[in-house]
């Protein structure tokens, strides 16, 4: 049809935001975070999407994806996603290419919903009204005062009844401090809030099982990446031996990755990151894979990129309210949500698409590309 809307442009911008304090987990430290923004245009309508990835990701969007996306039907997002995946075949899909596709895919879904004047959750179809979140941060670089302040802000000020801290410090070489920090976290939040931990793959197998016994004493119910998610058989073995839910999946860049993880029986809850796995298109498919095995899915980080898709799946566990990304999204975008009793409600104000707009004045000091 001649009146079928087509994508006229795909542009990128890169923003780097320093952290508000030194940050580290069990296996990595950082002092800034980079967001790569993709913007698609169709007439007077604009859609935005983003990924947390190196600035080089924007080059992939510009050099490999722009020609594929430009001129494509704006309403046929899965078709365009498939074309983008085929285009990066020789570049290598897992990693930054998948993140580039994710930013463009999210932007395309945002554009489609805006063209139809619908919140994205209404376009996708809601499976639930509210999306539970958990406060996430608790970096290993925090002292006791910083950790307590952050935990209290989530539980007491924002009413979030589930929180997560980082453990596995220095590749698992500081077990005593890990245990002490977990005990202090439990003392701060009390018995009514859920306590989660994330080792970021810092432990080895038997060490993770030993740590799980100590974690159980503090009522920890979520043990994220006790070992590297590269080792699915070891994750499955740990899962069989511990009382906590073993979770992983944030480094999934392709749908087959999630199928392998689920087939291995490696997790009690699948984590998938919409800004890494190829966007909303692939994230929804990952959720369906998990549902087929009776497994919940949890959205990893980037809460405002996830929240509409998260509300569209029946097997949603929750969404990560990650300190860095919440802070960055509030700086760069207008339209960010505020948790209410630990829940987000996407689309409640009727704003089309993701409900976000780039605040160019606030964003400009952080633009690096």
């Amino acid at each position: 049809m001649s009146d079928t809307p087509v994508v006229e442009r795909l542009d990128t911008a890169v923003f780097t935001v320093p952290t508000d304090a030194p940050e580290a987990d069990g296996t990595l430290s950082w002092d800034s975070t980079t967001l790569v923004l993709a913007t698609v245009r169709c007439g007077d309508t604009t859609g935005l999407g983003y990924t947390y990835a190196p600035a080089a990701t924007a080059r992939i969007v510009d050099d490999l994806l722009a020609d594929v996306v430009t001129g494509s039907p704006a309403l046929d997002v899965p078709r365009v996603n498939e074309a983008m995946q085929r285009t990066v075949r020789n570049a290598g899909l897992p990693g930054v290419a998948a993140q580039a596709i994710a930013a463009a895919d999210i932007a395309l879904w945002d554009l489609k919903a805006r063209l139809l004047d619908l919140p994205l959750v209404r376009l996708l179809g809601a499976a639930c009204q509210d999306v539970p979140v958990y406060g996430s941060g608790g970096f290993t670089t925090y002292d006791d005062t910083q950790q307590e302040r952050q935990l209290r802000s989530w539980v007491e000020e924002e009413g979030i009844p589930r929180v997560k801290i980082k453990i596995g410090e220095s590749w698992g070489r500081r077990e005593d401090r890990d245990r002490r920090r977990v005990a202090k976290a439990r003392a701060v939040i009390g018995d009514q809030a859920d306590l989660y931990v994330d080792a970021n793959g810092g432990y080895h197998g038997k060490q993770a099982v030993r740590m799980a016994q100590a974690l159980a004493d503090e009522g920890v119910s979520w043990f994220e990446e006790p070992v590297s998610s590269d080792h699915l058989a070891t994750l499955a073995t740990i899962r069989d031996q511990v009382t906590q839910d073993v979770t992983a999946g944030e480094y999934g860049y392709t749908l087959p990755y999630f199928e392998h993880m689920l087939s291995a029986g490696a997790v009690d809850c699948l984590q998938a990151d919409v800004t890494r796995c190829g966007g909303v298109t692939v994230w929804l498919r990952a959720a369906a894979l998990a549902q087929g095995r009776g497994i919940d899915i949890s959205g990893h980080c980037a809460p405002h990129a996830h929240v509409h898709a998260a509300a569209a799946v029946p097997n949603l566990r929750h969404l990560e309210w990650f300190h860095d990304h919440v802070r960055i999204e509030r700086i760069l975008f207008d339209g960010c949500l505020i948790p209410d009793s630990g829940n987000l409600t996407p689309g409640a104000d009727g704003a089309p698409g993701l409900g976000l707009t780039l605040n160019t004045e606030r964003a400009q000091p952080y633009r690096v590309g």
Side-chain angles (χ1 to χ4, degrees):
M1 295 175 61
S2 59
D3 60 349
T4 299
V6 299
V7 180
E8 298 167 6
R9 289 183 61 88
L10 169 58
D11 298 306
T12 59
V14 182
F15 305 90
T16 295
V17 180
T19 58
D20 56 3
E23 295 179 357
D25 55 35
T27 57
L28 189 69
S29 61
W30 61 95
D31 58 13
S32 65
T33 300
T34 297
L35 181 148
V36 177
L37 180 73
T39 304
V40 288
R41 292 180 171 82
C42 177
D44 295 331
T45 306
T46 300
L48 66 83
Y50 58 93
T51 182
Y52 291 97
T57 309
R59 182 74 180 269
I60 295 174
V61 176
D62 296 338
D63 291 356
L64 298 181
L65 303 183
D67 286 346
V68 174
V69 174
T70 302
S72 64
L75 303 183
D76 296 341
V77 184
R79 180 199 298 187
V80 184
N81 185 285
E82 183 67 19
M84 289 190 289
Q85 295 203 40
R86 293 180 179 181
T87 296
V88 303
R89 186 197 70 182
N90 289 351
L93 176 58
V96 293
Q99 292 177 287
I101 291 171
D105 181 90
I106 295 166
L108 287 164
W109 279 107
D110 187 43
L111 175 66
K112 179 175 180 176
R114 289 174 186 271
L115 287 169
L116 299 174
D117 196 27
L118 290 171
L120 180 54
V121 66
R122 299 289 171 245
L123 173 61
L124 298 175
C128 56
Q129 178 177 346
D130 296 322
V131 174
V133 298
Y134 67 89
S136 172
F139 304 108
T140 59
T141 43
Y142 281 2
D143 60 25
D144 292 346
T145 300
Q146 288 173 299
Q147 177 173 293
E148 178 175 351
R149 184 185 306 119
Q150 186 177 70
L151 292 172
R152 289 194 184 281
S153 71
W154 289 325
V155 175
E156 298 176 4
E157 297 172 20
E158 298 186 67
I160 299 174
R162 53 197 80 85
V163 298
K164 185 177 80 178
I165 70 168
K166 302 289 190 179
I167 60 171
E169 184 175 354
S170 301
W171 290 90
R173 291 192 290 268
R174 300 199 64 186
E175 287 185 27
D176 288 345
R177 185 167 189 263
D178 288 342
R179 293 189 185 95
R180 184 177 64 81
R181 291 179 56 247
V182 170
K184 285 185 174 292
R186 173 55 74 194
V188 169
I189 67 174
D191 296 332
Q192 300 306 308
D194 293 332
L195 180 58
Y196 301 166
V197 297
D198 182 0
N200 287 99
Y203 297 132
H204 57 72
K206 289 187 176 180
Q207 181 186 24
V209 173
R210 291 195 300 269
M211 281 298 299
Q213 296 170 354
L215 298 174
D217 292 339
E218 301 297 343
V220 172
S221 57
W222 171 282
F223 197 175
E224 185 173 333
E225 276 201 300
V227 298
S228 170
S229 55
D230 290 335
H231 306 308
L232 298 181
T234 305
L235 274 175
T237 299
I238 294 170
R239 181 189 178 202
D240 287 340
Q241 297 183 52
V242 305
T243 60
Q244 297 85 9
D245 281 354
V246 171
T247 70
E250 66 187 72
Y251 301 113
Y253 296 101
T254 67
L255 197 62
Y257 173 96
F258 298 117
E259 172 58 22
H260 296 327
M261 178 167 279
L262 292 165
S263 295
V267 294
D268 294 289
C269 182
L270 182 68
Q271 293 176 280
D273 188 326
V274 73
T275 75
R276 290 176 178 170
C277 73
V280 171
T281 301
V282 181
W283 195 91
L284 293 174
R285 294 171 183 170
L289 281 178
Q291 185 184 8
R293 293 177 180 270
I295 298 291
D296 286 346
I297 190 167
S298 177
H300 172 263
C301 292
H304 292 92
H306 277 95
V307 64
H308 289 259
V313 298
N315 58 324
L316 177 72
R317 177 80 63 92
H318 43 41
L319 174 58
E320 185 168 11
W321 192 245
F322 182 55
H323 170 73
D324 281 2
H325 295 179
V326 170
R327 176 173 169 264
I328 290 168
E329 289 164 19
R330 285 174 171 171
I331 290 172
L332 300 183
F333 303 121
D334 291 328
C336 290
L337 302 176
I338 299 173
D340 182 8
S341 300
N343 296 291
L344 302 176
T345 306
D349 62 357
L354 295 173
L356 301 176
T357 55
L358 180 70
N359 186 307
T360 54
E361 183 177 353
R362 289 201 308 268
Q364 187 57 41
Y366 304 101
R367 186 163 183 177
V368 296

